[in-house]
Amino acid sequence: MKKAYKSRYIYYDGKVSTDKYLIFDEKIIGISDNSEDAEKIYEKENSIIMPAFINTHTHLPMSLFRGLADDIPLMDWLRNYIWPAESKYLSEEFVYDATLLAACEMIHSGTVCGNDMYFYSKNIGEAIKKAGLKVVLGAGILDFPTKFGKDIDDYLNNALKLYEYFRGDRDVRIALSPHAPYTVSPESYKRCIKFAEKYDLLIHTHLAETMDEVNNIKQKYGKTPVSLMDEVGLFDTKSILAHMVHLTEEEIDVIGKKSANISHCLESNLKLGSGFANIKKYMDAGANVSIGTDGAASNNDLDMLGELSTVAKFHKGLNLDPTVLDAGTVIDMATKNAARGLFLENCGELKNGFYADFIVVRFDDPFTVPVFNPVSQVVYSAKTQNIVDFFVNGDPVMVDGKIVTIDENEVIEKARWWGDRIK
């Protein structure tokens, strides 16, 4: 069905157009001064139509562990709180319910797709499809036995089953997710690369997140995590690297020359005290940097809009330069850079032939008026409540601030039930 949406502003093909209609069906057709005989017409005054955000590093089911353990260093947080909780509570039902909760948060904050790394990935995919969103599902790989696999062969076999289950699905892509160099050996990474290349999959991993990781890997292998992964060939295949906080100048040069895809998770890194990456250097060197929230247990939210504002302002202060990472740049990081980093075709921008994945942001409250630059207004002033409409593949998932694909109240009540059990 041909549809049209009129708005005061449309951020189309990287430029702001005024008082136009966005013409679309499943994909974007273009912009026009009139509705082009559309069968369905929408309109919101005092608003901007933007490409929906893509979150390039998530652990979606950890939404049910939000606030479980705060103000704790990463390895203490993992070993003494998160991993024991996961061991006790993870199930297909838990992961499905937790992903629906995450999906509600994604919708309200304008996020169409998450690049996820977790367990029971089939259930994550099913929940995301029910919510009307998109996902890149990471099949987890570890070097030690868990209830999800007993060895590398078992984990890879599970990944193959996941790939076959969602094969050909428009909105669910599969990735291979070796956890990190401190839980997966170089030999296992090489097997993951070989497997991923055979099935044309993305590899999604944590890398160089903390100084403890750097020191432990140097002690074990005689080189840094980034140098180790360069040696195994991770930067020479389809991959996206979460965090990348602690790099030497030489390593920044390497990832730049290899156009590495990096998911910058600033708020999580700050909250866990892991440090922060000067991503301007990475981008200047040639790396493709996008934005991730990490999981809601370490952030503690999946709010990409808030993450954009934090990233933009933090790096201005870090570089003592207010021109660093302007509003348009951080929106690109959360949209087209993200799509490029996840190898998603026809996603991440509003332009002819791309999927009609867009949000509508209202400027009609005390903290969003007056409007001089609508793109800056989105990054520096807007809140999640300003995102009022959301379309995925041309179909509404939220209208006038109300999610229309799933029952949000039911999801919240189930989350409370799980919270009472975990307490």
Side-chain angles (χ1 to χ4, degrees):
M1 178 193 296
K2 189 176 183 181
K3 304 170 187 175
Y5 201 125
K6 188 177 183 184
S7 179
R8 179 74 175 100
Y9 309 103
I10 301 177
Y11 194 56
Y12 186 85
D13 199 12
K15 299 185 180 81
V16 175
S17 295
T18 305
D19 293 326
K20 302 280 187 184
Y21 288 87
L22 180 71
I23 312 298
F24 62 98
D25 44 31
E26 178 188 18
K27 294 184 177 181
I28 302 293
I29 297 170
I31 53 175
S32 176
D33 291 326
N34 58 69
S35 60
E36 301 281 343
D37 300 320
E39 298 175 60
K40 179 79 173 175
I41 300 173
Y42 304 86
E43 183 173 359
K44 281 281 192 310
E45 295 181 352
N46 305 316
S47 62
I48 183 171
I49 298 174
M50 303 278 300
F53 305 129
I54 299 170
N55 187 342
T56 54
H57 182 58
T58 64
H59 308 287
L60 295 175
M62 295 184 81
S63 60
L64 282 177
F65 294 138
R66 188 194 326 265
L68 178 66
D70 291 330
D71 308 319
I72 299 168
L74 174 63
M75 294 314 298
D76 184 17
W77 178 80
L78 281 172
R79 289 172 178 153
N80 297 317
Y81 297 92
I82 297 303
W83 286 345
E86 289 175 336
S87 177
K88 185 173 183 179
Y89 294 107
L90 284 198
S91 66
E92 292 184 355
E93 181 186 10
F94 178 98
V95 165
Y96 184 82
D97 292 344
T99 304
L100 286 180
L101 179 64
C104 289
E105 189 174 1
M106 289 171 69
I107 293 171
H108 280 299
S109 57
T111 304
V112 64
C113 180
N115 179 38
D116 202 62
M117 179 193 294
Y118 211 62
F119 303 103
Y120 293 115
S121 295
K122 176 182 172 183
N123 302 88
I124 297 171
E126 296 290 3
I128 287 292
K129 285 177 66 67
K130 181 176 181 180
L133 299 175
K134 303 182 180 186
V135 69
V136 179
L137 286 180
I141 306 291
L142 295 162
D143 263 353
F144 50 85
T146 66
K147 61 182 177 180
F148 308 104
K150 61 180 183 292
D151 54 27
I152 183 67
D153 292 315
D154 207 17
Y155 288 115
L156 289 175
N157 186 53
N158 290 337
L160 181 58
K161 290 178 182 176
L162 186 69
Y163 168 77
E164 290 174 341
Y165 184 82
F166 287 106
R167 187 200 296 262
D169 194 298
R170 177 190 61 184
D171 299 326
V172 178
R173 305 290 181 89
I174 305 304
L176 208 58
S177 291
H179 176 255
Y182 55 88
T183 53
V184 180
S185 69
E187 292 73 25
S188 293
Y189 268 102
K190 289 177 183 177
R191 290 196 59 185
C192 288
I193 291 169
K194 185 176 180 180
F195 182 95
E197 289 179 346
K198 179 178 179 179
Y199 295 100
D200 192 29
L201 305 181
L202 175 73
I203 291 183
H204 172 203
T205 193
H206 300 97
L207 190 59
E209 183 175 0
T210 67
M211 279 308 300
D212 280 345
E213 176 190 339
V214 172
N215 292 332
N216 290 339
I217 296 301
K218 284 173 74 173
Q219 183 176 19
K220 187 172 184 178
Y221 298 107
K223 56 195 67 177
T224 66
V226 171
S227 296
L228 185 66
M229 290 299 101
D230 186 29
E231 185 177 277
V232 303
L234 188 60
F235 308 147
D236 300 309
T237 194
K238 291 171 64 172
S239 60
I240 188 162
L241 318 162
H243 303 297
M244 295 287 275
V245 174
H246 300 284
L247 275 65
T248 65
E249 295 296 329
E250 292 77 13
E251 289 169 342
I252 292 172
D253 187 55
V254 168
I255 63 166
K257 288 179 178 176
K258 297 198 174 184
S259 302
N261 298 303
I262 296 167
S263 179
H264 180 48
C265 305
L266 180 58
E267 288 188 359
S268 176
N269 295 152
L270 291 175
K271 182 171 176 287
L272 288 170
S274 301
F276 46 83
N278 189 339
I279 57 166
K280 180 181 186 298
K281 291 184 178 181
Y282 299 8
M283 297 168 81
D284 288 347
N288 176 49
V289 182
S290 57
I291 295 174
T293 60
D294 209 349
S298 66
N299 185 298
N300 285 6
D301 59 46
L302 302 172
D303 177 11
M304 282 290 287
L305 188 60
E307 200 85 27
L308 289 177
S309 185
T310 301
V311 167
K313 289 180 284 195
F314 176 86
H315 287 283
K316 296 177 190 303
L318 178 63
N319 289 277
L320 303 178
D321 182 354
T323 69
V324 168
L325 299 192
D326 61 24
T329 298
V330 294
I331 286 173
D332 284 350
M333 291 169 69
T335 54
K336 66 180 185 179
N337 287 19
R340 189 190 325 153
L342 299 179
F343 297 84
L344 301 176
E345 296 180 354
N346 301 322
C347 293
E349 298 180 72
L350 299 186
K351 59 197 300 185
N352 176 257
F354 279 50
Y355 287 105
D357 302 336
F358 64 88
I359 58 176
V360 181
V361 184
R362 287 287 294 269
F363 302 136
D364 59 358
D365 48 35
F367 43 86
T368 57
V369 293
V371 179
F372 301 109
N373 181 332
V375 175
S376 291
Q377 206 80 336
V378 170
V379 174
Y380 298 121
S381 301
K383 316 297 180 188
T384 55
Q385 59 262 39
N386 294 104
I387 301 174
V388 289
D389 288 358
F390 190 170
F391 285 70
V392 179
N393 300 319
D395 293 323
V397 297
M398 182 168 68
V399 176
D400 293 328
K402 180 177 175 58
I403 297 173
V404 297
T405 50
I406 52 179
D407 187 330
E408 185 174 4
N409 290 329
E410 185 178 291
V411 171
I412 290 171
E413 284 305 309
K414 194 64 180 289
R416 289 197 178 103
W417 179 84
W418 277 112
D420 290 340
R421 289 191 64 188
I422 294 168
K423 285 178 186 176

